[in-house]
């Protein structure tokens, strides 16, 4: 997977992870992939729901040592 | 316009006083469908906050201007953001301090009744989670039944009332919420009771709560009598208090009955549940007032906010007490059960003393509705 951009949103609380993810998404092109690192567990459900509503695709998500990783392809 | 901040206590007052309120819930749809703030006269609009990042103009026509509007999210952050956006758009709105997390934790003590010789019985209503705890007070002494984990609420209340907590009971090993019982007992020197059949795996000391145990509270000797009533768990025990009140734990609710599956033994325990509901409880006086450990929907509560109903009325009205055919009863309580409560297996481990999560982890485990019943 080619990662176009990485956003480190660790330590941020809701709603900032999504606000920042949205802003980062606005800077990449359709088909490109944004990697997002988070620690707010609320994002576990909110990122996929937000991506779906915006027409983006979560290609992969994983948790490593309490950090959530999302790989979102811009729609 | 100003953005107001409401506490869970203020929202609880709106629920109990049957007031109107418009709730703009900005959590995602799944979270809202699963669990929300319930009020008799509340209206709702659920728009996830992440759909409002570009502005709130689209939802303005959907928000009333003649009613109070409360913005709610999981923890608070998103509701503040949306409330500020609405404020900038000229609307006066409030947000819930601490979000659903604080709503899940809030307890409202409501007096159920006076007892003999100045005694009192209180029901602690945890509106956000549907948990009900009890305190019996009589002449300087108190007993607590099914305390939730916010132990300060109970110890502070006892202090206010000038009573010493002497006895703390859990009707069963809870699976939907974390018990505060043994911690209250440890902090106050009270005796902590738990049914031994539910306690085979616990790692702390307790006093066995068994059929026929009788405890007197205060000089006026308010009677607290234990009645073995298995079915939700194998140890589930009810209490008859002052010959007037029947505390049913998670066996019998107002509009539903207990589920037998949360310890993984539905098939084994369904017979016990039947026996308790259709034989043991039938032998009791119909004028006893049933006080359960949970409610599932806000319609189960009375005008004054208490959750209580005459046993005789439940024999007539509660569907779960009116399934004549035993095979049909068995099917009702073992097939098509609602989803199990969030993290119920972990919660049981906590209540056995096997794991000791921190406060945030405990909050996380208890998120969501309680789901202890079969309707």
């Amino acid at each position: 997977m080619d990662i176009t951009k990485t956003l480190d949103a660790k330590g941020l609380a809701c709603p900032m992870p999504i606000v920042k993810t949205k802003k980062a998404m606005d800077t990449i092109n359709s088909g490109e992939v944004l990697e997002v690192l988070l620690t707010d567990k609320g994002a576990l459900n909110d990122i996929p729901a937000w991506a779906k509503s915006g027409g983006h695709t979560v290609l992969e998500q994983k948790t490593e040592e309490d950090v959530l990783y999302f790989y979102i392809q811009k729609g | 316009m100003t953005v107001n901040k409401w506490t869970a206590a203020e929202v609880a007052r709106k629920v109990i006083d049957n007031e109107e309120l418009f709730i703009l819930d900005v959590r995602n749809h799944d979270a809202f469908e699963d669990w929300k703030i319930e009020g008799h006269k509340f209206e709702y609009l659920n728009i996830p906050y992440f759909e409002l990042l570009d502005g709130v103009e689209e939802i303005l026509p959907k928000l009333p201007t003649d009613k109070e509007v409360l913005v709610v999210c999981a923890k608070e952050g998103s509701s503040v953001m949306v409330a500020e956006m609405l404020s900038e758009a000229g609307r006066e709105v409030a947000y819930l301090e601490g979000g659903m997390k604080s709503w899940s934790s809030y307890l409202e003590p409501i007096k159920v009744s006076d007892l003999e010789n100045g005694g009192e019985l209180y029901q602690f209503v945890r509106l956000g989670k549907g948990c009900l705890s009890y305190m019996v007070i009589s002449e300087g002494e108190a007993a607590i039944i099914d305390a939730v984990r916010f132990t300060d609420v109970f110890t502070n209340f006892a202090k206010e009332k000038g009573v010493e907590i002497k006895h703390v009971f859990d009707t069963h090993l809870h699976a939907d919420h974390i018990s505060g019982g043994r911690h209250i007992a440890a902090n106050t020197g009270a005796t902590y009771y738990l049914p031994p059949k539910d306690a085979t795996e616990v790692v702390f000391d307790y006093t066995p709560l068994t059929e026929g145990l009788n405890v007197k509270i205060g000089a006026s000797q308010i009677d607290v009598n234990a009645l073995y009533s298995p079915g939700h768990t194998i140890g589930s025990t009810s209490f008859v208090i002052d010959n007037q009140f029947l505390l049913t734990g998670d066996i019998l609710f107002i509009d539903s009955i207990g589920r037998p599956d949360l310890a993984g033994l539905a098939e084994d325990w369904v017979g016990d549940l039947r026996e308790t509901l259709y034989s043991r409880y039938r032998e009791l006086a119909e004028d006893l007032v049933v006080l359960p450990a949970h409610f599932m929907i806000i319609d189960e509560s009375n005008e004054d906010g208490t959750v209580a109903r005459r046993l005789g009325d439940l024999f007539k009205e509660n569907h779960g007490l009116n399934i004549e055919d035993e095979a049909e009863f068995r099917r009702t309580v073992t097939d098509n059960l609602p989803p199990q409560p969030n993290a119920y297996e972990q919660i049981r481990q906590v209540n056995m003393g096997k794991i000791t999560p921190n406060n945030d982890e405990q909050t996380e485990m208890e998120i969501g509705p309680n789901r202890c019943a079969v309707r």
Side-chain angles (χ1 to χ4, degrees), chain B residues 34-278:
Chain B
D34 194 39
W35 178 52
K36 64 178 186 290
I37 299 178
E38 307 270 359
H40 294 280
K41 292 184 182 165
F42 288 8
E43 287 176 67
Y44 307 90
L45 176 65
N46 172 223
I47 308 274
Y49 68 94
F50 46 79
E51 290 177 13
L52 299 171
L53 297 178
D54 289 329
V56 291
E57 283 67 33
E58 275 179 33
I59 62 163
L60 289 179
K62 295 179 187 166
L63 300 179
T65 46
D66 58 347
K67 226 178 249 182
E68 289 178 297
V69 174
L70 180 71
V71 189
V72 173
C73 72
K75 287 175 192 161
E76 178 181 295
S78 306
S79 63
V80 174
M81 179 186 79
V82 173
E84 281 170 356
M85 291 166 88
L86 288 168
S87 166
E88 277 163 29
R91 297 298 184 99
E92 180 164 347
V93 294
Y95 70 90
L96 172 60
E97 183 181 27
M100 290 303 281
K101 199 171 154 181
S102 72
W103 181 242
S104 173
S105 315
Y106 182 71
L107 283 183
E108 173 89 12
I110 304 176
K111 191 196 262 191
V112 176
S113 174
D114 286 318
L115 303 172
E116 272 182 69
N117 298 317
E120 295 172 293
L121 176 57
Y122 283 88
Q123 184 176 55
F124 289 71
V125 184
R126 187 176 174 187
L127 283 161
K129 183 81 183 157
C131 296
L132 302 166
S133 309
Y134 297 90
M135 192 183 289
V136 183
I137 290 175
S138 168
E139 293 176 350
E141 292 185 1
I144 300 175
I145 296 113
D146 288 332
V148 295
R149 69 186 166 89
F150 312 107
T151 56
D152 291 355
V153 178
F154 300 98
T155 49
N156 290 339
F157 193 80
K159 237 178 251 163
E160 260 173 51
K161 291 278 170 188
V163 295
E164 191 185 342
I165 300 168
K166 302 287 275 187
H167 307 278
V168 181
F169 304 94
D170 269 322
T171 54
H172 62 287
L173 187 83
H174 298 281
D176 64 292
H177 67 274
I178 295 165
S179 168
R182 77 188 148 98
H183 305 292
I184 293 175
N187 294 340
T188 60
T191 309
Y192 175 60
Y193 303 82
L194 189 63
K197 289 184 177 175
D198 280 4
T200 50
E201 292 179 58
V202 306
V203 299
F204 47 80
D205 291 331
Y206 66 95
T207 303
L209 168 57
T210 49
E211 166 82 22
L213 178 86
N214 176 281
V215 169
K216 309 271 191 196
I217 314 293
S220 59
Q221 303 278 285
I222 300 275
D223 247 322
V224 177
N225 281 299
L227 175 76
Y228 181 49
S229 54
H232 173 64
T233 62
I234 190 63
S236 289
T237 301
S238 307
F239 289 97
V240 176
I241 293 179
D242 205 20
N243 292 315
Q244 296 184 68
F245 298 96
L246 174 64
L247 272 60
T248 53
D250 283 7
I251 287 290
L252 174 61
F253 307 110
I254 303 301
D255 190 36
S256 56
I257 58 174
R259 61 192 289 173
D261 64 312
L262 294 184
L265 296 166
E267 294 296 331
D268 291 2
W269 292 354
V270 61
D272 291 321
L273 186 63
R274 176 88 185 172
E275 167 82 16
T276 294
L277 294 176
Y278 286 74

Side-chain angles (χ1 to χ4, degrees), chain A residues 14-15 18 22 40 46 49-50, chain B residues 28 49-50 53-54 75 77-78:
Chain A
C14 188
I18 294 255
K22 184 182 181 296
D40 183 25
D46 288 355
W50 165 80
Chain B
N28 67 56
Y49 68 94
F50 46 79
L53 297 178
D54 289 329
K75 287 175 192 161
S78 306

